[in-house]
Amino acid sequence: MQKCIDADVNGTVQLTRGKDSLRPLWSWLVANIQLQELTESDLKESLDAVPKWLHEYIVAGKYKLTTESLSIGMDVAIYLGEVFVHEFPQIYWGFFTKPKSRVSVNEPVLLGFENGLDMNPRRIVDTLMWQCANGKSSEGLYEAFEIWSKFVPAQPSKTN
């Protein structure tokens, strides 16, 4: 991902796995979010996948993130997860295979948060990208990091 970013902004965004790298990375991502109009086929596929009561919301959305934007977003999500793992040794990658009704079943998630919470970085980044595409500005990745950091349990102190 660093090579891709460097080709675009020539080294102004450094992926250090530190939380301070999230702000410039978010600025770069925002500049690269692209939408495309939903085709009739896309719309039909979306409608077929959800209950009827959701149809009006899907029809109201006439755009989708491009495949390139989703791909970049996935890379950024993995990076966001790696920042957590780097900053907090008690946070680690995992996944759930059951129950099938679980939102993030069979997807990589971060584990080790308080109260058994798990974080799906891809869903977080997708949501942030959509908020940005809909005109809501925010600190994006950094803000998400700060919010989720509150749920990281304290590291047990070592006594000799």
Side-chain angles (χ1 to χ4, degrees):
M1 185 165 66
Q2 184 70 63
K3 286 181 182 179
C4 177
I5 294 169
D6 285 347
D8 192 24
V9 292
N10 200 19
T12 59
V13 176
Q14 293 299 311
L15 303 179
T16 62
R17 290 194 308 159
K19 70 178 185 176
D20 292 332
S21 66
L22 296 174
R23 280 190 172 116
L25 178 58
W26 176 247
S27 295
W28 175 81
L29 179 60
V30 166
N32 286 280
I33 294 173
Q34 298 174 15
L35 299 174
Q36 68 185 45
E37 265 190 84
L38 283 171
T39 64
E40 289 296 321
S41 169
D42 293 331
L43 189 57
K44 182 178 177 350
E45 185 179 316
S46 295
L47 292 174
D48 288 347
V50 298
K52 275 200 181 296
W53 63 271
L54 283 174
H55 286 196
E56 69 181 275
Y57 300 104
I58 291 172
V59 172
K62 297 181 193 264
Y63 296 92
K64 67 179 183 177
L65 293 167
T66 63
T67 302
E68 182 179 349
S69 292
L70 290 170
S71 177
I72 293 169
M74 184 61 178
D75 288 346
V76 169
I78 293 167
Y79 180 77
L80 174 62
E82 285 299 305
V83 170
F84 270 95
V85 169
H86 179 75
E87 293 276 335
F88 304 108
Q90 59 273 53
I91 302 300
Y92 56 96
W93 287 101
F95 66 96
F96 295 98
T97 57
K98 294 178 184 175
K100 298 295 182 193
S101 60
R102 189 180 192 106
V103 171
S104 295
V105 70
N106 295 321
E107 292 187 36
V109 294
L110 293 178
L111 303 171
F113 292 97
E114 290 178 342
N115 302 318
L117 288 175
D118 61 270
M119 177 185 140
N120 184 326
R122 184 191 60 80
R123 291 185 182 275
I124 298 231
V125 172
D126 282 356
T127 299
L128 292 170
M129 289 171 67
W130 273 112
Q131 286 175 346
C132 181
N134 287 319
K136 294 181 183 171
S137 65
S138 73
E139 292 273 332
L141 298 173
Y142 189 85
E143 186 176 359
F145 180 88
E146 288 297 310
I147 290 167
W148 277 89
S149 293
K150 294 174 184 168
F151 299 103
V152 175
Q155 186 91 350
S157 60
K158 295 180 181 178
T159 57
N160 290 336

